[in-house]
Amino acid sequence: MNKFQWRRVVIKVGSALIAPDKKGCSSRYLLSIAQFILRCRMHGIEVVLVSSGSVAAGAHFFAESDRKDIAIKKAMAAAGQTSMMATWDRFFDFPCAQILLTHADLTDRERYESIRETMFSLLNGGLLPIINENDTVTTDELKVGDNDNLAAMVAAAADADTLIICSDVNGLYDKNPNQHDDAKLINWVTEITPEIYAMAGGADSSVGTGGMKTKIEAAEKATSHGISTFIVNGFEESSFNDLLNGRNPGTLFQPYKRPLQERLHWLTHTSKEQGELIVQGSFDEPLDKNSSQLTSDGIVEVRGEFAIGDTILVRSDDGTRLAKATSNYSSCMLSYISEQESEDLNLQPGPIISDEDIAILEKQ
């Protein structure tokens, strides 16, 4: 335990580990994970568990149903969630707490802060927070989409220093290990590049392992917040023994040396833009250093509908993504002032965005 020097760990467990046969929850693979959590806590390490699997855990209740629509899946999630929580709870002699989230909870700054406060209170009280996406009420618009990325968002919100993502393979390989006998496990990743994504299997690659791309996305979110991220084989007990003994059993993504500040990380990786601001010209200084450069005269177009305080994407007129920012104006007001001559305005408008509420994006 001395090698990694963890303080707070988020561990993500998927459906295949929770209900491998889709006949309800099984302890087959969860016992070793529970033992890992217990031993971490014995060493003074705080743990947050992100556990998907409610739909898989509740599928057997509807095995005879011919319907496969979204309403049935939501019912499966409702039935399976209680079963899953009960399964985790019986492994431990300390209390667990359930937190169900949608993307809307994470992208709203006030609710995001509330989630953080709740997690900190639970950890301070010695409870184990168990987090899942709220599949019973979520819609396509509100979904995070996968629990790998949810785990990365939770790790950032929890100020964790380590994220452990359980997979069905040992980690990231240079080729699909199910198709290539000479595939090599990559133990260390210092920078997530397009080549790393290609190994995971992207639009231009057919060599990746299914589900690995979202794990790389999650690793990118987490490492940019200064969080070390492991991808390990959750089906192997030895993975957790190795971690406890300070050995890397899978792939370790090293954190940024200069992580993003908490609010800027939230803007970049969690908050969802509600609209776009198309602007012209190049700026003498980065926008986050001098936001006053962005004036109504430079607005080419306002896209979408958003309110004061919503997150917007600032894009140049050539299509380059410049920044995500919190808007100080509604889309209606920005459209109005951009159409007026400066001398026609009765009041000189304030800054469109503020220096502290801008996250600069890499050119894409």
Side-chain angles (χ1 to χ4, degrees):
M1 298 301 298
N2 292 327
K3 178 179 178 181
F4 294 127
Q5 297 179 335
W6 299 332
R7 175 186 55 85
R8 182 175 295 158
V9 173
V10 172
I11 179 170
K12 182 266 176 179
V13 178
S15 301
L17 292 165
I18 298 289
D21 301 319
K22 292 189 177 180
K23 297 179 180 178
C25 295
S26 170
S27 62
R28 186 189 315 171
Y29 302 114
L30 301 187
L31 282 172
S32 58
I33 297 173
Q35 183 67 16
F36 171 78
I37 293 172
L38 179 62
R39 292 175 66 184
C40 280
R41 287 171 57 101
M42 289 174 61
H43 284 86
I45 301 166
E46 296 177 333
V47 180
V48 176
L49 173 62
V50 175
S51 176
S52 56
S54 60
V55 174
H60 67 290
F61 293 118
F62 301 87
E64 304 302 321
S65 175
D66 293 331
R67 292 173 55 194
K68 302 297 181 184
D69 56 27
I70 190 65
I72 287 292
K73 290 184 178 180
K74 289 177 183 290
M76 290 176 180
Q81 184 65 31
T82 56
S83 176
M84 186 175 70
M85 284 298 299
T87 298
W88 282 118
D89 192 61
R90 68 188 175 92
F91 288 137
F92 306 117
D93 58 358
F94 47 82
C96 301
Q98 174 181 259
I99 303 177
L100 296 176
L101 302 175
T102 68
H103 203 185
D105 298 317
L106 294 163
T107 57
D108 181 273
R109 185 64 192 183
E110 186 174 349
R111 287 149 74 179
Y112 182 83
E113 291 289 352
S114 178
I115 292 164
R116 280 167 56 85
E117 291 171 0
T118 300
M119 282 196 290
F120 297 153
S121 296
L122 290 171
L123 292 169
N124 290 337
L127 284 77
L128 173 67
I130 301 179
I131 298 174
N132 190 13
E133 186 158 15
N134 194 349
D135 292 318
T136 62
V137 301
T138 193
T139 62
D140 288 342
E141 184 179 349
L142 299 179
K143 282 184 73 68
V144 174
D146 65 89
N147 273 23
D148 294 323
N149 278 287
L150 176 64
M153 295 176 189
V154 168
D159 289 338
D161 50 51
T162 304
L163 170 63
I164 300 170
I165 300 175
C166 295
S167 179
D168 58 354
V169 293
N170 293 335
L172 176 65
Y173 286 82
D174 62 348
K175 303 176 184 177
N176 190 331
N178 297 321
Q179 299 176 2
H180 301 273
D181 293 336
D182 61 343
K184 295 180 180 179
L185 177 66
I186 299 175
N187 293 112
W188 306 89
V189 175
T190 57
E191 182 181 6
I192 298 176
T193 62
E195 289 74 23
I196 294 296
Y197 270 108
M199 293 176 191
D204 299 323
S205 173
S206 59
V207 301
T209 305
M212 187 58 67
K213 182 180 178 182
T214 61
K215 293 173 175 55
I216 306 301
E217 291 173 349
E220 186 166 21
K221 285 182 174 66
T223 55
S224 67
H225 197 273
I227 301 169
S228 299
T229 302
F230 292 86
I231 298 177
V232 303
N233 192 329
F235 293 85
E236 299 292 338
E237 183 178 357
S238 60
S239 297
F240 304 103
N241 293 332
D242 284 344
L243 287 169
L244 288 166
N245 290 312
R247 296 189 295 269
N248 173 19
T251 301
L252 171 58
F253 297 81
Q254 295 182 324
Y256 282 25
K257 293 181 179 179
R258 299 178 64 182
L260 292 173
Q261 295 177 355
E262 191 277 325
R263 185 172 178 84
L264 295 185
H265 186 275
W266 174 80
L267 270 173
T268 304
H269 292 295
T270 301
S271 182
K272 183 178 180 181
E273 59 263 24
Q274 302 301 312
E276 294 187 8
L277 202 60
I278 311 303
V279 299
Q280 65 181 355
S282 57
F283 300 101
D284 296 330
E285 298 178 65
L287 277 175
D288 58 340
K289 303 298 183 184
N290 185 7
S291 63
S292 62
Q293 296 176 104
L294 180 55
T295 65
S296 58
D297 292 337
I299 297 176
V300 175
E301 183 183 358
V302 179
R303 295 178 181 173
E305 295 184 4
F306 50 88
I308 297 172
D310 281 348
T311 299
I312 58 173
L313 176 67
V314 181
R315 191 193 296 272
S316 67
D317 51 5
D318 65 2
T320 302
R321 291 162 54 92
L322 298 177
K324 287 176 70 176
T326 301
S327 178
N328 291 331
Y329 290 85
S330 67
S331 53
C332 181
M333 181 57 74
L334 278 177
S335 295
Y336 172 74
I337 65 175
S338 66
E339 294 169 358
Q340 309 303 310
E341 296 293 338
S342 298
E343 57 270 19
D344 293 337
L345 292 174
N346 293 326
L347 295 174
Q348 179 66 31
I352 295 172
I353 51 182
S354 304
D355 293 349
E356 65 272 17
D357 290 325
I358 308 171
I360 300 300
L361 302 176
E362 294 183 6
K363 292 185 178 180
Q364 298 181 33

